[in-house]
Amino acid sequence: MEAEDKSGEQLRGQSSATGMGPSLSQESSAEEGLPPEWNRQRAMTRKVLIAILLFGLLLGSSLLWVYIFRNCGPRSCETPVCLDLLAHYLTSGNTSVAPCNDFFSFACEKTKGTSNSLRALAEENKSRLQRLLEAPGSWHPGFGEEKAFQFYNSCMDTDAIEAAGVGPIREVIEELGGWNISGNWTSLDFNRTLRLLMSQYGYFPFFRAYLQPHPVLPHTPVIQIDQPEFDIPLKQEHEQKIYAQIVREYLSYLNRLGTLLGGDPSKVQQHASLSISITSRLFQFLRPLEHHQTQDKLFHMVTIDQLQEMAPAIDWLSCLQATFTPMSLSPSQPLMVHDLDYLRNMSQLVEELLLSHRDFLQSHMILGLVGTLSPALDSKFQEARRELSQKLRELTERPPMPAHPQWMKCVEETGAFFEPTLAAMFVRDAFGLSTQSAAMKLFTEIKDALIARLKKLPWISEETRKEALKRVTQLQVEMGAPQWAWKSDMARQEYSDIQLGPSFLQSVLSCVRSLWARNIRSFLQPFPHHRWRVPPWEANAYYSIPDHVVVFPAGLLQPPFFHPEYPSAVNFGAAGVIMAHELLHIFYQFLLPGGCPACDTNALKEVLLCLERHYAALPLPSRASFNSSHTLLENAADVGGLAIAFQAYSKRLLQYHGETTLPSQGLSPQQLFFRSYAQVMCRELSTQDPQDTHSPPSLRVHGALSNTPAFARHFHCPRGTLLNPSIRCQLW
């Protein structure tokens, strides 16, 4: 014990000598020995220092966050194209509406009516073509391009069309043998007249005939025979009263046509009445599509010989040979027919009329031809046609058609007859290679997001998943325009078979024959690539099942849906969702009954039923109606397309910095994404076609957004609001 005490004293002495200072217990005891005032001052000083330190930390962190936000957060896009887009958004949408309750109105409602983005874009594309067609010195003399400009100018020369009056159409009637209503009439052979109407005027009074890809061999053409396109909107479901009113209006129109052509009013009345009777009887021969579906036979393959036996009034071989020259047809030529019963009954009616009312049959064909050619005639014929259209739309409770200015009608006509020329001009002016490259990059990111989702779908079996991934990787994409449209010589293509003048009507008829012949030649040539269904300036994407190709025309990839300088949120939310929607068309068969036998059918049925009920529960605008089962496939593509595009956009935000947003909108990039999606769907609610497989526009917005949890999160929607429901359905 003594040794320990001594060693302890030695250690304490060393400690004091080396300056290590007192131990904690000694220090505490020293503080306790200080006066109380010193202790209080010391504690106060310590608190002040701590407060200053905390304030400094808060101030520093705030400045750091401001720096990060200003330098790393979304910047305002101030480029001219962004400012134009901002102006577009400011004139479209009602921001006073709560977005969580009615995002369609928030994005689409204007002071007067509702914005229609697709129609506005289509009109802007036509306006661009107008500027190109009217630009001085923009065409090359001596080439086919010159004919396109000459045709457009002759269409715009309304003074010359008015001066020609009824002379040009009377010449056509005389070429067809005349008629009993006015002038001399030569009783020509019925099939000769029908042959002329079909081959020289592109008019089919009793049936339609056109080339289609073979249903089994898609690159082999086949002639398809269908019912005619009736000039009046008769339908089986029309009530007797409405049906009678439609017939009266059309009878009045035919009387007006006959009178304009110089016919005796009493004779005109008689011939017009029988023409209406012929149309009504032909209409009664039709069978609705559902009738063919119940028989599990949408079309029949027959030879020309077989059809000749079934419908002998028509000389099928001579009429079809004249129409489809240079095809070489024989009696054994296969045809695709949708409604054999209609053709049998039509033939019997023609035979009856040839025996008793041959002159009335001639008048029926000529009145129908004049009606179809009225856009190429003077204003009296055009006005008669316009008034008939308006009255028939009123009777069938369809919205009135907007009046189109002359330049727009002339652009449409020129585009129809000279598509190769206008396609090359449009692509060169509106969709350069850099824009095409940016669009392809966007499509690749959308496709990658789809592939990632396919790998995680719970209702797809491994076998089906492999098949689905294979279909995506083998898919072809055509962006902007067909390959030939990028070649400068296409704008100068020769149209040697087109003879313009002396009247505008004769120019139109020459163009009709040229276009028909070009279509036939295109079907006869080996064509390894996909044939576009729409011209490049159209705002309409589609997926072709036979060619397994998805098409995005240049006319769709324009502001306000796409521009390389836009914030990514806009391009992904608008064009990106459209791309994802079309990609999902590849898998429509999986969603049909029995279309995916290896899938978890119970899980698939459950989510499809959920989706159907979800849309059926959404509030509809007044006077709108739809069948949620009829629109189910398109609803699934809307919901899935939005989810895929948002996933691709979220990945873009993680990989790339420098995202921008629109100024003075107060929208985050994610909010701008959803705003851009809704902008695509903006359309007047009253324009919905009952046969449209898409839901009404407000439901296309609310249905997809309410099934997207990210929307409710980024717009801070309270639980239970329309766009933040308790139950969601996620198929893709």
Side-chain angles (χ1 to χ4, degrees):
M1 288 293 294
E2 290 181 3
E4 290 178 6
D5 290 340
K6 288 180 181 179
S7 64
E9 287 176 3
Q10 290 174 354
L11 286 173
R12 282 191 293 273
Q14 291 172 4
S15 177
S16 178
T18 57
M20 292 178 64
S23 65
L24 284 175
S25 58
Q26 290 173 325
E27 188 178 11
S28 297
S29 62
E31 283 186 6
E32 289 170 3
L34 292 175
E37 293 82 2
W38 288 24
N39 287 335
R40 284 194 296 271
Q41 288 179 4
R42 193 165 181 173
M44 183 64 69
T45 302
R46 184 180 295 171
K47 289 179 181 179
V48 171
L49 290 173
I50 292 173
I52 292 172
L53 179 62
L54 290 174
F55 177 77
L57 288 172
L58 288 173
L59 180 62
S61 61
S62 299
L63 292 173
L64 180 62
W65 278 111
V66 169
Y67 175 82
I68 292 173
F69 180 79
R70 286 182 177 177
N71 292 275
C72 302
R75 296 173 290 105
S76 282
C77 180
E78 306 284 351
T79 63
V81 292
C82 283
L83 295 179
D84 287 344
L85 180 65
L86 174 64
H88 175 77
Y89 278 10
L90 290 175
T91 58
S92 172
N94 182 359
T95 54
S96 66
V97 175
C100 297
N101 294 324
D102 187 358
F103 201 75
F104 180 79
S105 296
F106 180 86
C108 302
E109 187 181 274
K110 297 194 298 185
T111 305
K112 295 181 179 179
T114 304
S115 60
N116 190 324
S117 296
L118 276 173
R119 188 175 70 191
L121 178 56
E123 291 177 357
E124 174 57 33
N125 291 340
K126 290 173 186 174
S127 180
R128 185 187 290 269
L129 288 174
Q130 177 201 13
R131 293 193 295 271
L132 293 172
L133 288 167
E134 294 181 356
S138 60
W139 50 275
H140 300 79
F143 292 96
E145 184 177 359
E146 182 179 6
K147 286 187 176 179
F149 283 80
Q150 288 176 341
F151 178 86
Y152 175 79
N153 289 328
S154 65
C155 179
M156 292 294 291
D157 190 357
T158 54
D159 290 340
I161 296 173
E162 292 298 314
V166 298
I169 190 62
R170 279 182 173 171
E171 291 178 6
V172 170
I173 294 173
E174 289 173 8
E175 290 173 5
L176 293 170
W179 60 350
N180 250 344
I181 289 180
S182 62
N184 297 322
W185 176 56
T186 304
S187 180
L188 299 177
D189 175 72
F190 163 76
N191 274 291
R192 177 185 177 278
T193 304
L194 181 62
R195 200 160 51 240
L196 283 172
L197 287 171
M198 293 170 59
S199 62
Q200 298 300 305
Y201 299 97
Y203 177 61
F204 299 82
F206 302 104
F207 56 87
R208 280 186 300 150
Y210 52 95
L211 283 179
Q212 280 282 89
H214 195 283
V216 179
L217 307 169
H219 294 289
T220 301
V222 62
I223 297 175
Q224 182 166 321
I225 310 293
D226 270 350
Q227 66 189 50
E229 291 183 330
F230 290 106
D231 214 16
I232 49 179
L234 298 174
K235 291 184 179 179
Q236 274 90 353
E237 63 267 21
H238 280 154
E239 297 178 3
Q240 190 63 34
K241 181 180 177 181
I242 296 177
Y243 184 92
Q245 288 176 315
I246 290 174
V247 169
R248 277 197 297 271
E249 291 294 344
Y250 193 63
L251 178 60
S252 174
Y253 168 71
L254 294 183
N255 282 326
R256 190 171 175 181
L257 284 189
T259 305
L260 287 173
L261 290 165
D264 176 76
S266 60
K267 231 176 213 185
V268 169
Q269 175 78 25
Q270 188 182 16
H271 283 248
S273 297
L274 193 60
S275 178
I276 287 284
S277 174
I278 293 171
T279 299
S280 297
R281 288 189 63 183
L282 289 173
F283 174 75
Q284 291 168 5
F285 297 152
L286 299 180
R287 295 291 179 271
L289 179 63
E290 293 77 11
H291 173 78
H292 302 292
Q293 288 175 332
T294 55
Q295 295 184 341
D296 198 25
K297 197 74 172 178
L298 287 178
F299 61 87
H300 304 264
M301 297 301 296
V302 297
T303 64
I304 290 180
D305 250 357
Q306 291 171 331
L307 187 57
Q308 191 65 56
E309 291 182 13
M310 298 177 194
I314 309 298
D315 186 348
W316 292 100
L317 181 58
S318 68
C319 286
L320 294 177
Q321 181 63 79
T323 303
F324 293 99
T325 300
M327 288 180 69
S328 179
L329 304 184
S330 68
S332 60
Q333 177 75 31
L335 307 172
M336 190 164 74
V337 179
H338 274 226
D339 193 341
L340 285 173
D341 289 339
Y342 168 82
L343 295 179
R344 290 191 188 97
N345 291 322
M346 175 273 296
S347 174
Q348 187 175 346
L349 174 61
V350 169
E351 287 179 328
E352 294 173 7
L353 293 169
L354 286 174
L355 291 174
S356 57
H357 297 96
R358 182 180 290 265
D359 56 340
F360 288 98
L361 192 62
Q362 175 83 352
S363 296
H364 172 73
M365 292 189 289
I366 288 178
L367 284 170
L369 175 65
V370 173
T372 62
L373 295 179
S374 60
L377 302 178
D378 65 42
S379 59
K380 294 185 289 294
F381 288 91
Q382 294 183 39
E383 181 63 20
R385 189 77 175 180
R386 189 192 66 79
E387 289 183 6
L388 171 68
S389 176
Q390 296 291 69
K391 289 176 180 177
L392 293 181
R393 294 184 79 86
E394 289 174 10
L395 288 173
T396 54
E397 297 185 341
R398 290 181 296 167
M401 289 289 291
H404 288 159
Q406 184 70 14
W407 71 263
M408 187 175 291
K409 291 189 290 186
C410 293
V411 164
E412 290 171 354
E413 289 280 298
T414 309
F417 296 135
F418 298 91
E419 181 181 331
T421 295
L422 266 65
M425 291 166 54
F426 184 85
V427 170
R428 186 168 62 241
D429 188 73
F431 199 78
L433 292 175
S434 60
T435 305
Q436 185 193 41
S437 176
M440 281 298 299
K441 183 179 179 182
L442 173 63
F443 175 78
T444 300
E445 293 181 59
I446 295 294
K447 187 172 75 169
D448 290 345
L450 169 62
I451 291 173
R453 293 184 83 87
L454 287 174
K455 292 178 179 178
K456 298 179 181 179
L457 282 184
W459 52 269
I460 286 187
S461 65
E462 283 307 311
E463 175 188 349
T464 309
R465 198 186 314 276
K466 290 178 182 177
E467 178 189 347
L469 292 170
K470 182 179 178 181
R471 294 175 79 170
V472 175
T473 54
Q474 291 179 343
L475 178 72
Q476 299 178 58
V477 57
E478 299 206 13
M479 193 71 66
Q483 289 301 316
W484 53 258
W486 299 95
K487 301 175 183 176
S488 58
D489 59 339
M490 288 308 299
R492 305 176 187 178
Q493 174 177 310
E494 295 285 351
Y495 300 94
S496 57
D497 56 346
I498 292 181
Q499 303 298 321
L500 299 179
S503 68
F504 180 62
L505 176 61
Q506 290 297 335
S507 297
V508 168
L509 292 175
S510 181
C511 289
V512 166
R513 294 162 193 152
S514 172
L515 177 61
W516 184 263
R518 269 181 281 148
N519 286 338
I520 294 172
R521 287 197 298 269
S522 72
F523 268 100
L524 297 181
Q525 293 172 355
F527 209 101
H529 302 294
H530 168 71
R531 291 183 179 89
W532 276 48
R533 300 176 190 169
V534 298
W537 57 84
E538 288 289 334
N540 183 25
Y542 67 91
Y543 166 66
S544 170
I545 296 176
D547 295 324
H548 193 47
V549 58
V550 63
V551 175
F552 302 103
L556 181 67
L557 299 170
Q558 299 291 319
F561 297 162
F562 181 82
H563 193 282
E565 295 179 23
Y566 276 172
S568 297
V570 176
N571 289 335
F572 277 86
V577 174
I578 295 172
M579 291 175 177
H581 180 107
E582 294 303 324
L583 280 173
L584 289 177
H585 285 184
I586 302 171
F587 309 115
Y588 268 17
Q589 183 182 354
F590 289 172
L591 310 185
L592 298 174
C596 188
C599 294
D600 185 342
T601 53
N602 290 331
L604 181 57
K605 286 179 181 177
E606 185 177 340
V607 71
L608 289 175
L609 182 60
C610 173
L611 203 60
E612 187 175 338
R613 289 172 175 170
H614 185 91
Y615 272 77
L618 291 172
L620 272 172
S622 60
R623 296 185 63 186
S625 61
F626 91 113
N627 184 333
S628 58
S629 59
H630 179 64
T631 62
L632 179 61
L633 295 178
E634 291 294 340
N635 294 341
D638 282 342
V639 175
L642 183 64
I644 291 166
F646 187 75
Q647 178 175 317
Y649 176 60
S650 300
K651 184 177 179 181
R652 163 67 74 94
L653 288 181
L654 292 175
Q655 292 181 340
Y656 300 94
H657 298 292
E659 173 63 313
T660 59
T661 189
L662 294 182
S664 71
Q665 282 277 281
L667 297 177
S668 69
Q670 291 84 356
Q671 289 174 328
L672 182 59
F673 170 92
F674 293 114
R675 173 75 169 78
S676 301
Y677 163 72
Q679 194 68 41
V680 174
M681 302 301 170
C682 289
R683 192 171 75 245
E684 294 93 339
L685 300 174
S686 58
T687 60
Q688 183 76 11
D689 187 338
Q691 301 302 316
D692 194 349
T693 55
H694 300 87
S695 292
S698 62
L699 266 63
R700 295 194 72 180
V701 172
H702 295 158
L705 293 180
S706 59
N707 276 293
T708 306
F711 173 84
R713 186 168 65 252
H714 286 288
F715 274 92
H716 313 293
C717 295
R719 193 72 169 172
T721 52
L722 180 68
L723 298 184
N724 189 11
S726 56
I727 298 177
R728 291 186 173 91
C729 320
Q730 194 64 54
L731 177 65
W732 296 108

